[in-house]
Amino acid sequence: MVARQARLNPSPCFHGMGISALRIRDRLIQRLRDEGIQNSRVLEVMREVPRHLFVEEALASRAYENTALPIGHGQTISQPYIVARMSELLLEHGPLDTVLEIGTGSGYQTAILAPLVNRLYSVERIAPLLEQAKLRLRELGRRNVRFKYSDGGVGLPEYAPFDAILVTAAPEGIPRALVYQLRMGGQMVLPVGSRDLQALVRVTRTEEGYEHEILERVMFVPLLGGVE
Ligand code: SAH
């Protein structure tokens, strides 16, 4: 518990920030509340993590807008609302011990989720994105994350079972391999669908297989096979 408190200590992230920069972040948090995000720990971490460090300098002035932004290699950093929503959905049924994230990208979602869970594995198939994300997370002092360069479509069977799985790229259907890496009762939140029609889905592993809830319309890059 003490370690978790320490990770939430905002001082390293707020270091050197002016009042106007804090206001810009507060405005984003208000916007997330207005859009229905309620989990106060999620909101607290979203306020603390400097999103401008996760985008190229040329886009830094837009980092606190509630939009997805390009991060190179044809990929995007997720919209803050969706990062908050997916984190909130995963945490709804109590604390999480071991979590798998598929699609590290910029590492922004990783940085939000890490202080909210005990141990996080994050998988990415584009090596330069993974390397950059690792550096950012190290800079922020997130020490409970292990990064893996691999095809997340097959999960990480060697570290299963997971309490929760978060997928930040869209497969066309629910990947069975991932469902079976959840512990019984564990949950996976992911976008499912084609490039232009996707829904956010929460899957719960049950004795019979799995149940799923369709939550809202979303737009993610596709989950691709293999590594680059
Ligand atoms: N949450 C990230 C979103 C990045 S976009 C952020 O906020 O920055 C989705 C990421 O999923 C991309 O980096 C893409 O390369 C990655 N991805 C797509 N298919 C994958 C797969 N099969 N395994 C691992 N990562 C994958």
Side-chain angles (χ1 to χ4, degrees):
M1 223 33 230
V2 172
R4 190 168 296 184
Q5 281 301 331
R7 281 201 298 276
L8 276 173
N9 182 345
S11 52
C13 304
F14 284 121
H15 181 72
M17 272 186 68
I19 295 292
S20 62
L22 279 173
R23 282 219 187 98
I24 291 170
R25 290 197 201 177
D26 282 342
R27 220 174 293 146
L28 174 63
I29 299 310
Q30 190 52 48
R31 181 91 197 266
L32 298 177
R33 278 188 217 279
D34 293 345
E35 292 195 33
I37 306 298
Q38 291 179 355
N39 186 310
S40 56
R41 294 187 64 219
V42 170
L43 289 167
E44 186 190 332
V45 178
M46 298 273 308
R47 183 171 185 273
E48 173 200 320
V49 173
R51 190 167 181 255
H52 65 272
L53 300 183
F54 293 82
V55 296
E56 284 163 28
E57 238 170 287
L59 291 170
S61 64
R62 302 190 54 202
Y64 299 95
E65 292 174 14
N66 191 17
T67 53
L69 293 167
I71 54 170
H73 306 271
Q75 308 303 321
T76 52
I77 180 173
S78 306
Q79 182 196 15
Y81 165 76
I82 205 73
V83 170
R85 179 82 177 116
M86 290 173 100
S87 307
E88 181 172 80
L89 283 164
L90 282 183
L91 290 161
E92 212 166 68
H93 299 291
L96 299 171
D97 186 49
T98 305
V99 177
L100 170 63
E101 176 193 46
I102 295 166
T104 314
S106 68
Y108 180 63
Q109 170 83 69
T110 320
I112 299 296
L113 204 55
L116 300 168
V117 306
N118 190 34
R119 191 176 316 119
L120 181 58
Y121 292 92
S122 187
V123 178
E124 172 58 57
R125 63 182 289 283
I126 300 179
L129 288 179
L130 186 67
E131 291 311 313
Q132 233 177 347
K134 270 187 198 171
L135 289 176
R136 289 171 177 142
L137 273 281
R138 196 178 308 150
E139 218 168 284
L140 290 178
R142 302 285 194 248
R143 292 185 219 294
N144 60 336
V145 185
R146 281 181 76 174
F147 294 94
K148 299 281 166 193
Y149 173 53
S150 68
D151 175 2
V154 294
L156 271 187
E158 61 274 40
Y159 296 102
F162 300 101
D163 287 326
I165 301 178
L166 179 72
V167 188
T168 72
E172 299 234 337
I174 296 170
R176 299 292 164 108
L178 297 184
V179 174
Y180 293 110
Q181 288 174 36
L182 285 169
R183 69 162 169 76
M184 208 51 72
Q187 297 194 321
M188 169 160 72
V189 172
L190 77 168
V192 179
S194 59
R195 214 174 249 276
D196 33 47
L197 187 62
Q198 297 167 14
L200 190 64
V201 178
R202 179 163 57 182
V203 174
T204 305
R205 184 169 180 192
T206 63
E207 297 286 354
E208 295 76 36
Y210 66 89
E211 286 167 3
H212 71 276
E213 302 155 73
I214 297 174
L215 300 158
E216 59 197 83
R217 199 169 163 176
V218 288
M219 190 145 59
F220 280 82
V221 295
L223 186 83
L224 301 175
V227 291
E228 263 180 39

